[in-house]
Amino acid sequence: MAKMSYREALTETLHQEMANDENVIVMGEDVVGGTGSPGGPEAIGGVFGVTGGLFGKFGAERVIDMPISEAGIAGTAAGAALAGKRPVAEIMFADFMGLCMDQLMNQAAKFRYMFGGKATCPMVLRTSYGAGMQAASQHSQSPHPMVTAIPGLKVAMPSTAADAKGLLTTAIRDDDPVIFFEHKTLYGLQGEVPEGDYLVPFGKARIVSEGNDCTLVATGRMVSFCEDAANALSADGISCDIIDPRTTSPLDEDAILDSVEKTGRLIVVDETPPRCSFAADIAALAASEVFSSLKAPIKTVTGPHSPVPFAKELEAAFLPSPVKIKTVIEQTVNFS
Amino acid sequence: MQLAREELEQAYRQMKTIREFEDHLHREIAKGTIGGFTHLYGGQEAVAVGVCENLRDTDYITSTHRGHGHCIAKGCDVKGMMKELYGRADGLCKGKGGSMHVADMDVGMLGANGIVGGGPPLATGAALAAKLDGNGGVALSFGGDGSCNQGPVFESMNIAAILNLPSIYVYENNRYSEHTGASYVIASESIASRVEGFGIHTVKANGFDFFEVHEVMKELIARCREGNGPCAVEFETTRFYGHFEGDPQNYRGPDEVKNDRENNDCVKIFRSKVTEAGLLSDEDLDKIDNEVISLIETSAEEAAAAPVPSPEEVTTDVYVSY
Ligand SMILES: Cc1ncc(C[n+]2csc(CCOP(=O)(O)OP(=O)(O)O)c2C)c(N)n1
Ligand SMILES: [Mg+2]
C-alpha cells in the first residue's frame, strides 16, 4: 500500500498501463498541455494534472494533445479501438460529452451488437464530473445516468483513490467501451492504494460500512456524504449499510438487494436531478425485487429538477448534503 | 480616424471599463472572494469594443467563456455584471449564471458560453431570425482560436453561407487555447484561410489597434446588413492574464506577457494615437480613467453588500411554465 491522492492514483495507473501494453494511447485536450507553445510541450499534463509525465515517458506518438473537437476525440478513440488500439480519451468536463454523443451512443456503444459480436471497441473515455466548485450549469453536471442507460457502454465512478486505480486498470483492460467518471472535487482526496497491478472488477460493489437500520446507496462524492450522515447518527444507535456500486453499468444488484433485505430500508443518494436518474433506477429495482422486505418507503436524495446554479448558496441548495441525508435517514428509520 | 469626439471618448471609456473590471476581478479572485471559473479578457479590449461600437442594441452577439469584455462592449450593465460574478440575487442573471453565463437579452447579448464553440451556431440562428425579420439586423459570434476546431462551428458557417445569412464570425486569435499553441491545433495556414473555404468573405486584421478593428468591422457589418451574406474576421490579439485565474502560464514565452504589456497594450496604443493626432488630450483621457475607476469601485462595493439568492431560487426559471 502507498498513500496517494485520487489524482496520483489515476496518473500511476496510466503510467503502468501504458508501460504494460503499447496499444494503450492517451488523447485529449491539454493532456500533454503545451504542445505548440513556447514553454511546452508538457507544461501542465492535463487541466486536472492526471496525465502528467506521460508525454515525457511515452512520447508524442502515444500521448496526443487534441484540438477542441470533442466529437472528433470520441470518434478517433472509437475508431482506433475498433482497429486494435486501447485509447484512453479525456473529455475535460463531462458536460462536453454533449458534443460527443453520436460517437458514444450510435457508434462505440453499438459496434459489437450491430456487427454480430465480431468487433471490439476497447476505449476508455475519462471525464471529470460533478458540482461543488461553483463551476455553474455547463461545468458541473453528472451525466452518468444518461450513459448508464445506453446498452453497450460500461460506466465506472470511483469514490476513493484505491478504486480510482483499480477501476481505471480494469477499464483500460476491458474490451468494451467504458465511460470513466472522475469527480472533480475528489482529485485531492488521499487514500491507501495497493501497489503494482491492481484491478477492481466491474459490477462488484464496495461495502463502505455495515449496519442494520438502513441501506444507503451512493457513488462518487456522495459516498463520503453518506458516511458523514451515518456517522452523525451512530450516537443515536442508528447504523447503516453504505453501498458504493462503483460501476453503474454493470450494476451489482445482489449487493444492493441483499442489503435491503437485511435492513428493510433504502435511500439512494445522487447529485443529479431526480427524473430518469440513477436514484430512480435503484429505487425501482428494490421496489420490484424485495418489496416484501421493505419497512418504509424507498427515498432518494438528489438534486432538484433544475440545472446546477452558480451562486454558492444556490449550489448548496441544489446538492445533497450530509445534513439533508441525515434528515431523510431519520424519517425513514422512524417511519411507521 | 473619422470618429467624432464623443465616439472616441465612448470607445476609450468602454476599453478602460473592461480593463479595470478585469483587473479588479484578478485582485478579488486572488483573495478568494469570487468563486467559480473565471477567464479574464484583459489585453483583448480593442477587439470587443472595436466590434461592438459598430453594432446596434437590436443586433445580436454570442460570446465565450472569456466573455466579460464582449458583455461590457455590447452594453451590459456593469453593476449588474459585477453582482452576477459575486453570485448575488440581483445580478444580471440572478446569480444563477456567473462569469461564464452572463447574458442580457435587452441589449442583444445572447450569453457568454461555457462550451467552446457553443456561440457560433446560436449567432447563425439569430442571424436567420434577423433575416426573416427583414430589419437589417445582424448577429455576430465571438470565438477564440481554439473554438475554430469545433464541428458545430464549421457546420454553422456552412449553413450561414448556403442560406446567405447576416452573420459574422469573429475569431480572436490570442495564440493559445488553454495551454496549447494555436499553430499546432490549426492545420491550415490561418483561421481566416480556412474560413474562406466555406465561401465566406474573410479578412485578417490587427486586434491590438482599436482603429483597425473598428474600420474592418464597419465595412464587414455594413456589407452584412446589405444582404451580402456571412463574413468572418481573424484578429491577432493577446491575453494579459492566464487562461483561468491561477494559471501559472509556464507554457508562454519568458517575456511574452511583459512584451505584450509594453508593446501591444491596446489601451495604451489608443491613448498614444488619439493624443498624438490631437483628437483627445491626456487630461480628457485621465478624466475618463478616474470615472471608470470609481464606477468599478462602486460596482464592487455594491456587489459585496448585495443580498445573496434565497435557496428557493434554485428551481425557478427552469421553464417558462411547467
Ligand atoms: C466544448 C468545450 N471543450 C473544452 C472546454 C474547456 N476549455 C475552456 S476554454 C478552452 C480554450 C479555448 O481557447 P480559445 O477558443 O482560443 O479561447 P481563449 O481561451 O483563448 O479565449 C478550453 C479547452 C470547454 N469549455 N468547452
Ligand atoms: Mg485562444
Side-chain angles (χ1 to χ4, degrees):
Chain A
M1 291 281 188
K3 196 167 168 74
M4 66 178 81
S5 67
Y6 188 92
R7 170 189 294 111
E8 287 160 347
L10 295 166
T11 307
E12 178 178 293
T13 307
L14 290 170
H15 277 268
Q16 286 185 0
E17 291 308 297
M18 288 197 80
N20 265 347
D21 181 351
E22 63 180 25
N23 284 320
V24 177
I25 56 177
V26 164
M27 58 174 82
E29 292 157 21
D30 294 290
V31 293
V32 178
T35 310
S37 302
E42 196 144 59
I44 59 150
V47 294
F48 293 104
V50 173
T51 48
L54 293 173
F55 176 86
K57 194 124 132 237
F58 302 103
E61 297 261 295
R62 292 177 64 201
V63 187
I64 308 167
D65 259 345
M66 284 290 202
I68 308 175
S69 309
E70 281 79 7
I73 294 169
T76 304
L82 268 184
K85 297 296 162 199
R86 291 191 173 272
V88 182
E90 176 175 305
I91 296 296
M92 201 181 285
F93 288 80
D95 314 68
F96 311 160
M97 278 167 50
L99 289 143
C100 356
M101 277 320 275
D102 172 62
Q103 295 301 329
L104 299 180
M105 69 183 278
N106 293 322
Q107 312 297 340
K110 295 183 168 58
F111 293 141
R112 185 161 187 84
Y113 188 82
M114 296 189 300
F115 303 167
K118 290 183 183 146
T120 57
C121 186
M123 67 179 277
V124 179
L125 190 139
R126 292 181 39 246
T127 191
S128 76
Y129 80 104
M133 296 181 77
Q134 273 196 270
S137 296
Q138 296 175 340
H139 284 72
S140 302
Q141 297 174 87
S142 302
H144 53 282
M146 236 163 64
V147 283
T148 301
I150 299 172
L153 298 180
K154 293 178 177 171
V155 182
M157 311 184 71
S159 65
T160 65
D163 278 1
K165 178 171 180 179
L167 291 171
L168 185 57
T169 307
T170 305
I172 293 171
R173 297 188 193 178
D174 197 282
D175 284 335
D176 291 311
V178 178
I179 314 295
F180 194 89
F181 285 97
E182 302 165 7
H183 201 288
K184 61 172 83 68
T185 67
L186 295 183
Y187 283 118
L189 177 76
Q190 297 284 327
E192 293 292 336
V193 177
E195 278 160 68
D197 248 24
Y198 177 58
L199 288 96
V200 169
F202 282 5
K204 188 89 193 71
R206 179 168 72 97
I207 310 299
V208 180
S209 75
E210 291 191 71
N212 301 312
D213 303 308
C214 189
T215 300
L216 306 178
V217 176
T219 59
R221 185 187 188 207
M222 295 299 115
V223 174
S224 70
F225 281 22
C226 287
E227 289 182 88
D228 291 348
N231 289 339
L233 286 168
S234 60
D236 302 342
I238 297 172
S239 67
C240 299
D241 260 5
I242 302 176
I243 297 180
D244 170 5
R246 288 173 161 151
T247 53
T248 56
S249 178
L251 178 68
D252 189 347
E253 299 187 1
D254 290 344
I256 297 168
L257 297 175
D258 289 351
S259 169
V260 178
E261 283 190 308
K262 177 181 76 173
T263 65
R265 300 180 184 92
L266 172 63
I267 299 168
V268 193
V269 182
D270 200 14
E271 65 174 287
T272 64
R275 300 289 313 279
C276 294
S277 64
F278 171 70
D281 186 54
I282 302 300
L285 172 75
S288 77
E289 300 301 318
V290 291
F291 181 76
S292 57
S293 318
L294 291 171
K295 299 177 202 157
I298 300 168
K299 288 289 170 191
T300 61
V301 183
T302 67
H305 187 62
S306 80
V308 183
F310 164 70
K312 67 172 182 296
E313 297 77 12
L314 293 179
E315 192 180 39
F318 176 93
L319 278 172
S321 67
V323 172
K324 292 180 195 173
I325 299 165
K326 178 173 166 268
T327 307
V328 178
I329 299 173
E330 286 169 326
Q331 287 164 355
T332 302
V333 171
N334 295 325
F335 178 83
S336 56
Chain B
M1 274 198 249
Q2 295 138 337
L3 289 166
R5 186 182 171 85
E6 306 78 70
E7 290 175 306
L8 292 171
E9 286 179 347
Q10 167 67 5
Y12 182 75
R13 183 182 302 278
Q14 291 288 66
M15 285 170 51
K16 187 69 185 172
T17 305
I18 298 169
R19 178 67 54 89
E20 289 298 323
F21 190 90
E22 299 297 61
D23 285 355
H24 170 76
L25 291 177
H26 179 68
R27 293 187 297 267
E28 282 309 302
I29 290 164
K31 288 189 223 157
T33 340
I34 296 173
F37 299 165
T38 316
H39 310 84
L40 301 182
Y41 191 73
Q44 303 184 200
E45 294 88 344
V47 177
V49 177
V51 168
C52 291
E53 285 304 299
N54 286 290
L55 295 174
R56 308 167 180 160
D57 272 1
T58 47
D59 292 325
Y60 297 104
I61 66 163
T62 65
S63 169
T64 68
H65 58 287
R66 199 176 303 289
H68 308 160
H70 309 138
C71 296
I72 292 173
K74 190 67 171 65
C76 289
D77 174 45
V78 171
K79 293 187 169 182
M81 278 180 67
M82 193 68 89
K83 286 180 181 160
E84 186 59 29
L85 287 155
Y86 278 67
R88 300 307 193 224
D90 51 353
L92 214 44
C93 305
K94 302 186 193 166
K96 291 181 175 181
S99 169
M100 283 192 285
H101 308 294
V102 178
D104 188 351
M105 298 300 132
D106 293 340
V107 297
M109 202 292 159
L110 305 184
N113 209 310
I115 301 298
V116 172
L122 304 175
T124 305
L128 173 62
K131 186 181 178 193
L132 295 174
D133 287 343
N135 56 10
V138 300
L140 180 149
S141 66
F142 286 98
D145 44 284
S147 74
C148 81
N149 296 313
Q150 280 289 27
V153 175
F154 286 29
E155 293 169 24
S156 49
M157 290 191 297
N158 185 52
I159 289 170
I162 64 164
L163 300 182
N164 202 47
L165 298 180
S167 53
I168 300 146
Y169 304 90
V170 174
Y171 294 97
E172 294 180 73
N173 187 341
N174 62 7
R175 310 176 194 136
Y176 303 97
S177 51
E178 296 211 333
H179 319 88
T180 302
S183 60
Y184 164 68
V185 275
I186 301 169
S188 49
E189 182 211 315
S190 66
I191 299 171
S193 67
R194 174 193 285 178
V195 173
E196 258 164 13
F198 286 94
I200 289 180
H201 174 63
T202 309
V203 295
K204 205 162 180 273
N206 171 2
F208 301 114
D209 178 9
F210 166 83
F211 295 99
E212 180 162 342
V213 176
H214 190 271
E215 213 152 293
V216 162
M217 291 313 299
K218 191 174 179 158
E219 196 183 312
L220 290 182
I221 291 169
R223 194 176 179 278
C224 215
R225 284 199 204 287
E226 284 157 17
N228 296 308
C231 51
V233 54
E234 173 180 358
F235 287 116
E236 182 196 351
T237 182
T238 183
R239 59 168 152 80
F240 283 174
Y241 289 117
H243 170 65
F244 56 92
E245 285 308 274
D247 174 3
Q249 301 204 67
N250 54 344
Y251 52 89
R252 297 185 86 162
D255 292 324
E256 182 182 335
V257 178
K258 184 166 164 277
N259 180 49
D260 278 336
R261 282 193 182 263
E262 273 164 24
N263 304 311
N264 291 325
D265 180 337
C266 59
V267 177
K268 278 193 205 157
I269 293 171
F270 184 101
R271 182 181 270 262
S272 59
K273 283 205 167 180
V274 290
T275 50
E276 275 161 31
L279 298 167
L280 294 175
S281 67
D282 275 318
E283 295 77 66
D284 294 332
L285 297 166
D286 291 346
K287 183 163 167 285
I288 296 175
D289 285 354
N290 291 332
E291 287 165 4
V292 166
I293 289 166
S294 104
L295 169 69
I296 299 299
E297 276 172 7
T298 339
S299 304
E301 281 161 18
E302 290 178 13
V308 300
S310 70
E312 304 82 68
E313 283 291 319
V314 75
T315 49
T316 61
D317 302 319
V318 181
Y319 300 95
V320 175
S321 65
Y322 196 57

